[in-house]
Amino acid sequence: MGIKIIGSGHCVPATKLSNRHLESIVDTTDEWIFTRTGISSRYLVTTEDTNDLAYGAARCAIESAAIDPTEIGLIIVATFTPEQLTPSTACLVQARLGLNQQPVIAFDMNAACTGFVYALVTAEQFLKSSKIKKALVIGAEVLSKIMDWNDRSTCVLFGDGAGAVVIEWDEVDSPSFYLNCEGDGDVLGTSKLPVNNPLHQTGTSPISFHMNGASVFKFAVTAIKETVTTLLMENNLTLEEIDLIIPHQANKRIIDKVVKDLNASPEQFFLNVSEYGNTSAASIPIALNEAIKKQRIKAGNRVMLVGFGGGLTWGGCIVSI
Ligand code: UT7
């Protein structure tokens, strides 16, 4: 890819909810959740909202890049659970970073759990074709506000959080991404936004999330394998030449199946779903930041990011660190 990640950070709510704690809220067990998904806990907001988490992750990423925030010319936030429909989370982050007095392009993107990869590839196009030198790309979600807390088959899987990277143009590498989608609202999605105008009323139920778990599982395995093999083929690379693959963190069993089908080594796939649950667009940048902090990725490494989710959307990219 023609970009280099020069800083990363993440931010989660102060409150961590373990599976055991969840047993007192939902008709479930630690054993069911862990054996089916590999998830042990997740963070849920109390007083925080999407824009707080996005800003927290942005601050960490800027600090780790050791740049002045004024060097940033583009902010993209991948989210489908913003605090409000407008202003965008990206504009709110711009203001909190004190960048309102300079030209900045800022907008949110929605590609559900593939959002961060879509946003990173979009940011790359700006860096390639404009005078913008550095961009801030964030994935931020507060999924707990759209969960149906009576649906134990979905609410136990998700968590809240945000991750961010600062990127700059890297002339050395060639562009390398693969994005795809297949419009389908049945397998995974939210309820519709109500229309309540003087001529037509569709009710006032809160937005809620629904998913066909088994279908999503099958889709996810196929999408990851398609993305990995396409990226390797198009770049004349083998799996061994990728230092680490960071997949969207949805379920350990999905990754186990991919590892088996691709005849890969489990160590090649970074996993932290155990602590965070599925944080949708935030999962890849949170995992990326942890992998860097834990030194699973070092300067000069070639890393593949792979996302899949609502839309249906999927895809990935190869980045240098
Ligand atoms: O970003 C993408 C997001 N989506 C995903 O990653 C989802 C992918 N799919 C999955 O991860 C799995 O399909 C699930 C974890 C959601 C479900 O696992 P499963 O092995 O496919 O279980 P199931 O849906 O077949 O349910 C098995 C049983 C059912 O009981 P019966 O009908 O067999 O008696 C469910 O009612 O497990 C029951 N069940 C639960 N039991 C305890 C469903 N949810 C729970 C729960 N606790 N939380």
Side-chain angles (χ1 to χ4, degrees), residues 180-203:
N180 207 339
C181 71
E182 190 181 301
D184 183 334
D186 295 333
V187 177
L188 200 169
T190 70
S191 54
K192 294 176 183 171
L193 292 173
V195 176
N196 286 309
N197 68 28
L199 306 178
H200 187 68
Q201 291 87 40
T202 58

Side-chain angles (χ1 to χ4, degrees), residues 28 32 36-37 113 152-153 156 211 213-214 216 248 250-251 254 278:
T28 190
W32 190 96
R36 292 286 202 299
T37 68
C113 304
R152 64 179 182 169
S153 66
V156 302
M211 173 183 82
V216 175
H248 166 48
N251 182 329
I254 291 174
N278 179 343

